[in-house]
Amino acid sequence: QVRDRLKQQVVEMTEKFPGFRPGLAILQVGNRDDSNLYINMKLKAAAEIGISANHIKLPNTATEADVLKCIASLNADPAVHGFIVQLPLDTDKPINTEKITNAVAPEKDVDGLSSINAGKLSRGDLGDCFIPCTPKGCMELIRQTGVQVAGKRAVVIGRSKIVGAPMHDLLLWNNATVTTCHSKTSTLAEEVGKADILVVAAGRAEMVKGEWIKPGAIVIDCGINHVPDSTKASGKRVVGDVAYTSAKERASFITPVPGGVGPMTVAMLMQSTVESAQRFLEKFQPGKWTIQYNQLTLKMPVPSDIEISQSCMPKPIDQVAKEVGLFPDEVEPYGQTKAKVQLSVLNRLKNQPDGKYVVVTGITPTPLGEGKSTTTVGLVQALGAHLHQNVFACVRQPSQGPTFGIKGGAAGGGYCQVVPMEEFNLHLTGDIHAITAANNLVAAAIDARIFHELTQSDQALYNRLVPSVNGVRKFSDIQIRRLQKLGINKTDPMALTKEEVNSFVRLDIDPGTITWQRVLDTNDRFLRKITIGQSPTEKGFTRTAQFDITVSSEIMAVLALADGLDDMKKRFGRMVVASSKKGQPVTADDLGVTGALAVLMKDAVKPNLMQTLEGTPVFVHAGPFANIAHGNSSVLADKIALKLVGKDGFVVTEAGFGADIGMEKFFNIKCRYSGLRPHVVVLVATVRALKMHGGGPAVTAGVPLPKEYTEENLQLGAKGCSNLNKQIQNARMFGVPVVVAVNAFKTDTKAELALVVQHAKEAGAFDAVECTHWAEGGKGALALARAVQRASQAPSNFRFLYNVELPVVDKIRLIAQQVYGARDIELLPEAQEKVALYTKQGFGNLPICMAKTHLSLSHDPEQKGAPTGFVLPIRDIRASVGAGFLYPLVGTMSTMPGLPTRPCFYDIDLDPVSGGVNGLF
């Protein structure tokens, strides 16, 4: 009956949570025959019920440290819901059995032998512990008789930790009057005669005589003893601790030996395992969060960002991970406040529905920015800490170039920040450094290959590329791929003809076509154009090159768009670094560096977990440029977050620059590759930016704002709403509801804010609300959060702007006309050549990633508002084939920023007392 019931429970579990099965591990040391027999019985019962059982067998030479190491591994394994250590331990090493049983995690101790479970049982906490299987089976047998335990006199013979002592406690807490006897009890027969319920676990053959037993008593015999029996082939038979033949004449119920308590013990082990699995599901049910939020202490005036950040005490990152349903083995802490998250969580949660997907973008900004990051954090703090919704923020990792240059930090601001902000803004977990190393490895490989091909014969190159090791030459996997690409279907290095050797060893790179540059995560204008190869050892082979900033590297874009380690590696292999002199694309795979890049990036591919000031979770992962790349955080972070929040939760991600750039690329590139579909667009607007678009004077970083921005001017703001209207139209073009967040500054008047809200609604926004989250944290974004909740329930008909099968020029024209408001486009000669080249090379079906100024809807940063009728000039087109897009260059575009006259680093230093970071990030 028990097994049938458990089997049905397991079926119900797997139906409710596809792919889930209760897991039992049995750890054995040595090879005792009796232990093997018992384990086989348990494995058979587990298989019958549907429990996934794993038998771990250590040799009898295993030390105590070996056993403890194995237990620690099982404790951390989320697929193991219960495990037992098979006793006795068959070893010739000194091992403390008590230490071993207590090492088992109490929540997995389905044998109930740890001191914690024993202590809870002795205190009567029966609902919060595991009970040893034999006493538990005995109680089940007693219940099956239909006799009420409460008020009955019970006698337990035996006081072992496995049966006697826990049996006493179990009967006591079921309201029996319990006497414990043992081999030293002088009046044993007399005590037995008083028992309504008798449980015997003394380990002595037929010690209890039938005539001792009270008529009508329930007798549970836990003993297993061997006595001589010449009629048996083995010369012995199994008997219990009770003289069964005479006792059954007096007892109302009695268990036989064998076949009584033994099978029930196994059944109870299975029951405890299923119970443990049920507790696990209740605790780690996807989408079911129990989260502790941090209470903000607001101050006026609002302190500096770093003062606010450092006044907050972040939760330990392992606590954040646990709160959102991540398992310990899925989290790799980097200190106390940040951690990497394993991609395996996606496979574990693959059958769980996604939450609601929200993208935060903005109107065309001033050079100061309009608070998209701050709004992103404020929105998740409002949804989480105030409305108690499951919510994740997914944001980009900032480059150290702008951090130490003109922008400062990118963790949000005021009371809406990712914390600790100094860790967020600096090295984080080293992802950008990994990208720098990987990018520069490719750059070094390009120039080294050109040099070696210029200075060596075909045979010399071949001998070095495919060397003989111990007399054997063998192609590596990446070399086999190159041979296949060349149409050479041979695997024996000795079988290639001279012509085939020539094709294999000569990439024949045209230096004038190299598009791959070295990178550095520092703003350094003097590296925008350099000459390399000036050392005498390079034999005069020099060329003009440049450094870009790391976040502009295609490797960063690949990281952001990959959906796993394998996909990232394939994208690396497809990256085109140059063309051959015959016009054929040369890839990272041709250079032989793909595997090395994957090794350098194997940790960077894992999203970084952090938290906001109010304790809501944040993924910080990838930080591609928003002009020559797509300007969005990683697909992987979004996918993991959408699974973790559950179907009723929210994931809020941010798209770089204005809606015409970051949002358009989010839809047409990121969503195209990820397969994810957004539910809501949050469009951030400010009175300051709208006044600029209405004809206000220039806004310059580091210069005080003119009075037009600090005094009420409704006419200027109303005129500038043309930009807001256009960006609302841009968002609605993709079929997604738009909520406008009017980010209020202290210089804004109520009338100005009300004007923006009214214009936004009239322009077709689902809703528009004033936000004060910078000064008030999540509380100041409550109206926004509620509007987003409502909008997420509204009909959404998401669609792409263009079909990738269209010709390259048509795709560019659609973006220019539909999103920017251009009359037409003009391709300059170099761009025309690239269209022909990339189409010929097979890259014409890639999405388009426009590289243009973020300060205007047009190509001219001085044209504000919503200009129309202009012709968009396309200077050049380049390919990020690994990332998966072509990027037309509109106007002049620098990929290596410079430092301003007074960089941010003037204000950054170590605190002489605490050793922490001081400064104005």
Side-chain angles (χ1 to χ4, degrees):
Q1 290 174 9
V2 172
R3 290 186 184 187
D4 287 345
R5 184 181 75 244
L6 295 176
K7 189 173 182 180
Q8 182 58 36
Q9 289 176 353
V10 170
V11 168
E12 290 170 0
M13 271 191 228
T14 54
E15 287 176 350
K16 187 174 181 181
F17 302 98
F20 178 83
R21 285 179 71 191
L24 171 67
I26 303 172
L27 175 59
Q28 180 184 11
V29 179
N31 194 37
R32 283 175 59 118
D33 289 340
D34 54 350
S35 291
N36 291 333
L37 176 64
Y38 299 145
I39 290 170
N40 286 334
M41 289 168 57
K42 294 164 186 174
L43 294 174
K44 183 179 178 182
E48 177 188 327
I49 290 166
I51 293 171
S52 175
N54 184 21
H55 179 196
I56 301 101
K57 203 168 187 176
L58 298 180
N60 61 4
T61 55
T63 64
E64 184 175 272
D66 295 331
V67 180
L68 290 172
K69 183 179 179 181
C70 186
I71 290 174
S73 174
L74 292 169
N75 282 340
D77 187 347
V80 174
H81 307 109
F83 79 87
I84 65 170
V85 179
Q86 184 67 41
L87 300 176
L89 301 173
D90 177 23
T91 175
D92 51 12
K93 305 290 184 182
I95 295 181
N96 184 332
T97 301
E98 185 82 3
K99 186 175 181 180
I100 295 300
T101 55
N102 279 321
V104 177
E107 66 272 17
K108 296 188 178 187
D109 175 29
V110 288
D111 245 352
L113 299 182
S114 68
S115 295
I116 290 178
N117 278 317
K120 288 182 176 181
L121 174 59
S122 69
R123 290 189 349 179
D125 298 334
L126 305 189
D128 188 35
C129 71
F130 284 112
I131 298 165
C133 298
T134 299
K136 190 173 182 178
C138 293
M139 279 303 301
E140 185 65 27
L141 287 168
I142 294 168
R143 289 193 190 98
Q144 289 292 324
T145 67
V147 174
Q148 291 294 318
V149 175
K152 295 295 189 293
R153 183 179 291 276
V155 172
V156 177
I157 302 178
R159 50 187 173 180
S160 72
K161 296 177 182 178
I162 296 176
V163 183
M167 192 71 234
H168 172 279
D169 294 336
L170 199 52
L171 286 164
L172 179 67
W173 293 112
N174 278 274
N175 300 308
T177 301
V178 188
T179 300
T180 296
C181 300
H182 41 80
S183 58
K184 299 293 189 288
T185 302
S186 58
T187 57
L188 185 58
E190 182 182 337
E191 296 297 337
V192 169
K194 300 175 185 177
D196 301 311
I197 300 170
L198 177 64
V199 181
V200 188
R204 293 175 59 179
E206 299 183 328
M207 179 183 76
V208 176
K209 309 306 178 186
E211 58 268 23
W212 296 359
I213 294 169
K214 179 180 178 180
I218 298 171
V219 179
I220 307 294
D221 189 351
C222 303
I224 299 178
N225 307 282
H226 294 90
V227 296
D229 188 339
S230 59
T231 65
K232 302 291 183 182
S234 63
K236 56 186 177 181
R237 60 187 171 90
V238 176
V239 299
D241 291 352
V242 178
Y244 179 77
T245 303
S246 57
K248 72 176 183 178
E249 300 301 326
R250 298 175 67 88
S252 58
F253 295 91
I254 186 169
T255 57
V257 177
V261 171
M264 282 303 295
T265 298
V266 175
M268 291 301 104
L269 174 63
M270 301 301 118
Q271 181 168 306
S272 291
T273 301
V274 172
E275 287 172 357
S276 181
Q278 289 170 332
R279 293 177 190 176
F280 174 85
L281 287 174
E282 289 172 8
K283 188 176 181 181
F284 291 101
Q285 186 174 336
K288 184 180 179 181
W289 292 7
T290 302
I291 189 164
Q292 173 191 322
Y293 297 107
N294 297 333
Q295 190 76 31
L296 294 179
T297 302
L298 304 177
K299 293 182 180 179
M300 290 298 291
V302 177
S304 70
D305 290 349
I306 198 162
E307 285 180 72
I308 294 172
S309 175
Q310 293 182 344
S311 69
C312 162
M313 179 62 71
K315 295 178 289 188
I317 199 63
D318 57 349
Q319 178 184 334
V320 177
K322 185 177 181 181
E323 288 174 343
V324 301
L326 290 166
F327 296 162
D329 69 332
E330 293 170 339
V331 181
E332 299 174 10
Y334 279 59
Q336 294 297 311
T337 56
K338 54 189 185 289
K340 285 282 186 186
V341 173
Q342 295 276 6
L343 304 187
S344 59
V345 68
L346 272 175
N347 186 58
R348 173 171 68 86
L349 298 176
K350 63 184 176 183
N351 294 311
Q352 300 304 317
D354 288 345
K356 303 294 175 61
Y357 199 25
V358 180
V359 60
V360 176
T361 184
I363 63 171
T364 305
T366 69
L368 305 179
E370 308 317 306
K372 291 194 308 297
S373 299
T374 305
T375 302
T376 298
V377 176
L379 175 56
V380 298
Q381 289 184 166
L383 284 166
H386 297 268
L387 298 180
H388 304 293
Q389 301 292 304
N390 292 353
V391 61
F392 243 105
C394 292
V395 299
R396 289 182 294 167
Q397 179 183 355
S399 164
Q400 286 180 187
T403 294
F404 287 103
I406 196 168
K407 184 177 180 181
Y415 287 103
C416 297
Q417 296 186 50
V418 180
V419 290
M421 63 96 80
E422 58 269 40
E423 295 189 21
F424 174 93
N425 283 309
L426 295 176
H427 308 282
L428 198 58
T429 56
D431 294 352
I432 291 182
H433 301 317
I435 291 166
T436 302
N439 182 98
N440 292 343
L441 177 64
V442 177
I446 293 168
D447 289 304
R449 187 60 176 260
I450 293 173
F451 175 80
H452 292 308
E453 287 188 23
L454 287 171
T455 56
Q456 296 181 52
S457 67
D458 288 357
Q459 194 58 49
L461 282 168
Y462 193 61
N463 289 342
R464 286 171 172 82
L465 288 170
V466 194
S468 175
V469 179
N470 297 325
V472 178
R473 301 180 83 169
K474 183 180 178 182
F475 290 123
S476 66
D477 290 344
I478 202 166
Q479 290 175 328
I480 292 290
R481 290 203 298 273
R482 171 152 174 80
L483 290 168
Q484 291 170 345
K485 179 179 177 179
L486 295 169
I488 302 171
N489 296 313
K490 297 178 180 178
T491 56
D492 181 0
M494 305 304 294
L496 268 63
T497 66
K498 286 186 178 180
E499 292 76 14
E500 289 170 338
V501 167
N502 175 269
S503 297
F504 174 74
V505 302
R506 301 264 170 208
L507 298 182
D508 204 21
I509 293 171
D510 179 355
T513 67
I514 294 172
T515 55
W516 196 271
Q517 309 299 343
R518 288 163 173 82
V519 298
L520 187 70
D521 196 34
T522 301
N523 287 4
D524 191 344
R525 65 192 316 126
F526 289 94
L527 294 178
R528 289 172 179 168
K529 189 173 183 179
I530 59 172
T531 302
I532 60 173
Q534 294 190 26
S535 168
T537 57
E538 311 324 310
K539 302 179 181 180
F541 298 115
T542 64
R543 71 178 181 89
T544 300
Q546 69 186 57
F547 269 83
D548 295 337
I549 197 158
T550 297
V551 291
S552 70
S553 168
E554 185 175 354
I555 289 178
M556 175 65 89
V558 167
L559 173 66
L561 288 170
D563 69 0
L565 186 59
D566 290 342
D567 181 53
M568 182 175 70
K569 183 178 175 181
K570 289 174 184 175
R571 287 174 180 268
F572 285 159
R574 294 197 297 265
M575 294 187 305
V576 175
V577 301
S579 293
S580 71
K581 291 173 182 175
K582 294 181 179 178
Q584 296 300 311
V586 177
T587 66
D589 228 30
D590 293 327
L591 286 168
V593 298
T594 304
L597 297 180
V599 169
L600 286 170
M601 293 293 292
K602 68 180 178 62
D603 293 317
V605 76
K606 305 166 191 171
N608 304 296
L609 180 65
M610 294 188 76
Q611 62 192 291
T612 67
L613 281 167
E614 295 192 51
T616 58
V618 181
F619 275 137
V620 185
H621 198 215
F625 252 27
N627 44 29
I628 68 166
H630 62 291
N632 285 266
S633 59
S634 78
V635 166
L636 281 168
D638 290 0
K639 285 189 169 183
I640 293 173
L642 284 163
K643 293 297 183 187
L644 288 170
V645 299
K647 66 182 180 65
D648 297 321
F650 291 84
V651 170
V652 182
T653 190
E654 177 192 342
F657 292 154
D660 55 308
I661 300 180
M663 183 197 71
E664 181 270 318
K665 296 172 183 180
F666 171 81
F667 289 144
N668 282 321
I669 298 176
K670 184 176 181 179
C671 290
R672 196 185 298 270
Y673 282 121
S674 70
L676 300 174
R677 297 295 179 262
H679 294 80
V680 185
V681 171
V682 172
L683 184 70
V684 180
T686 63
V687 170
R688 178 180 67 191
L690 292 173
K691 286 181 176 179
M692 178 192 72
H693 288 296
V699 175
T700 306
V703 177
L705 287 171
K707 65 181 178 60
E708 287 86 349
Y709 297 102
T710 58
E711 298 176 0
E712 184 176 285
N713 191 324
L714 297 176
Q715 185 178 0
L716 207 58
K719 187 178 177 183
C721 281
S722 60
N723 186 272
L724 172 64
N725 296 353
K726 176 57 179 166
Q727 299 290 32
I728 291 172
Q729 291 171 18
N730 284 341
R732 294 186 66 198
M733 187 189 310
F734 293 90
V736 184
V738 185
V739 175
V740 173
V742 185
N743 188 16
F745 294 171
K746 61 183 178 182
T747 54
D748 299 338
T749 67
K750 287 293 182 183
E752 288 175 326
L753 295 168
L755 175 75
V756 180
V757 168
Q758 179 186 343
H759 269 273
K761 291 179 179 178
E762 291 172 354
F766 177 89
D767 202 353
V769 295
E770 176 187 340
C771 303
T772 55
H773 47 275
W774 178 80
E776 297 183 297
K779 177 185 174 184
L782 269 172
L784 175 62
R786 293 189 177 105
V788 167
Q789 282 183 301
R790 293 193 302 273
S792 71
Q793 303 299 324
S796 178
N797 184 29
F798 175 71
R799 53 190 174 271
F800 298 119
L801 178 62
Y802 55 81
N803 187 322
V804 289
E805 302 296 325
L806 288 173
V808 173
V809 174
D810 289 355
K811 289 181 284 193
I812 297 172
R813 182 177 286 111
L814 271 171
I815 295 171
Q817 293 177 335
Q818 298 295 316
V819 179
Y820 305 156
R823 176 170 56 82
D824 204 351
I825 61 172
E826 178 188 10
L827 268 67
L828 302 184
E830 193 169 357
Q832 294 176 20
E833 291 173 9
K834 291 292 179 63
V835 169
L837 174 65
Y838 293 143
T839 302
K840 178 184 176 183
Q841 291 180 337
F843 308 138
N845 291 341
L846 292 176
I848 300 299
C849 182
M850 300 291 283
K852 79 168 188 71
T853 179
H854 63 290
L855 298 175
S856 172
L857 281 162
S858 75
H859 57 285
D860 180 0
E862 301 304 317
Q863 286 195 354
K864 304 302 181 183
T868 58
F870 59 90
V871 175
L872 192 75
I874 309 300
R875 177 171 60 86
D876 193 5
I877 302 176
R878 296 178 186 168
S880 288
V881 179
F885 52 74
L886 302 178
Y887 59 101
L889 301 180
V890 182
T892 303
M893 192 66 55
S894 173
T895 49
M896 172 55 84
L899 290 172
T901 304
R902 191 184 193 283
C904 293
F905 59 65
Y906 274 72
D907 301 305
I908 299 172
D909 202 349
L910 291 175
D911 187 288
V913 178
S914 69
V917 177
N918 281 342
L920 301 175
F921 277 116

